[in-house]
Every structure is written in structure tokens, then in C-alpha cells.
Amino acid sequence: FKMLYNELLIMHNESYVKQNESQCIKIIELIIEVLITNDKQDIEYFELFCEYNFMNELVYLASTDNRNINLQIIKSLSILILSVSSQQT
């Protein structure tokens, strides 16, 4: 999970994101996938998500001018919210 966080930090570099857009999108997808899949079995992943402040990093990336990254963040956060609400019911 730490490796994924480091990847998010690298995405603060806009030229890196432009050159590696598809890889950045896959990293965002993977973060949410790992969180949802593992959180059902181990709450530690959600705690790490909070501890490393992943949400803040995703919000930061959403404030950039990259439409595809922004759409992926919206999609991923929507999936995360749906997963949380379905676990509660």
C-alpha cells in the first residue's frame, strides 16, 4: 500500500502525469480495488488509507487540469462510496 502512496506522490508532477496518463489511471484504480477488496477482510487497509491521507492526494489530483485523471478519480471514489454503503446494509 505504501508503494501505491508513493506513486500518488509522484503524480504531483504534471509532466509525469501527462507522459504516463494510462499508468496513473491504473494506479488510481488499483488503490481503490485494493482498499475495497482487502477492507472486507482486514480493517487495517482502511486505516492505512486514512493514515497515508490517500483521500487528500486524490483530491489534489482532481484539482489538476487532466480530464481523464479527474474522471477516474470520480469513478473510483463513487465505487468506494457504493462499496461502503453496501457493506453497511
Side-chain angles (χ1 to χ4, degrees):
F1 220 53
K2 176 98 170 135
M3 180 192 77
L4 294 173
Y5 179 74
N6 289 335
E7 289 289 330
L8 270 182
L9 293 179
I10 292 171
M11 287 186 227
H12 282 250
N13 181 334
E14 287 186 40
S15 62
Y16 175 84
V17 173
K18 286 179 185 174
Q19 293 173 355
N20 301 289
E21 185 178 285
S22 63
Q23 179 183 348
C24 292
I25 288 171
K26 287 179 185 175
I27 293 294
I28 294 166
E29 289 174 348
L30 186 58
I31 289 168
I32 300 302
E33 182 181 322
V34 166
L35 180 62
I36 290 170
T37 304
N38 293 306
D39 188 49
K40 292 177 183 176
Q41 301 156 2
D42 187 355
I43 189 96
E44 225 176 271
Y45 282 90
F46 185 75
E47 290 172 0
L48 287 172
F49 183 82
C50 295
E51 181 181 329
Y52 286 121
N53 215 357
F54 275 89
M55 186 63 77
N56 187 51
E57 298 303 326
L58 292 172
V59 169
Y60 172 81
L61 288 173
S63 70
T64 65
D65 289 334
N66 189 311
R67 184 175 188 271
N68 292 328
I69 296 290
N70 294 347
L71 289 173
Q72 183 58 50
I73 291 170
I74 291 168
K75 177 181 169 186
S76 295
L77 292 178
S78 297
I79 291 168
L80 179 62
I81 290 167
L82 289 171
S83 172
V84 169
S85 65
S86 70
Q87 287 179 8
Q88 304 241 338
T89 55

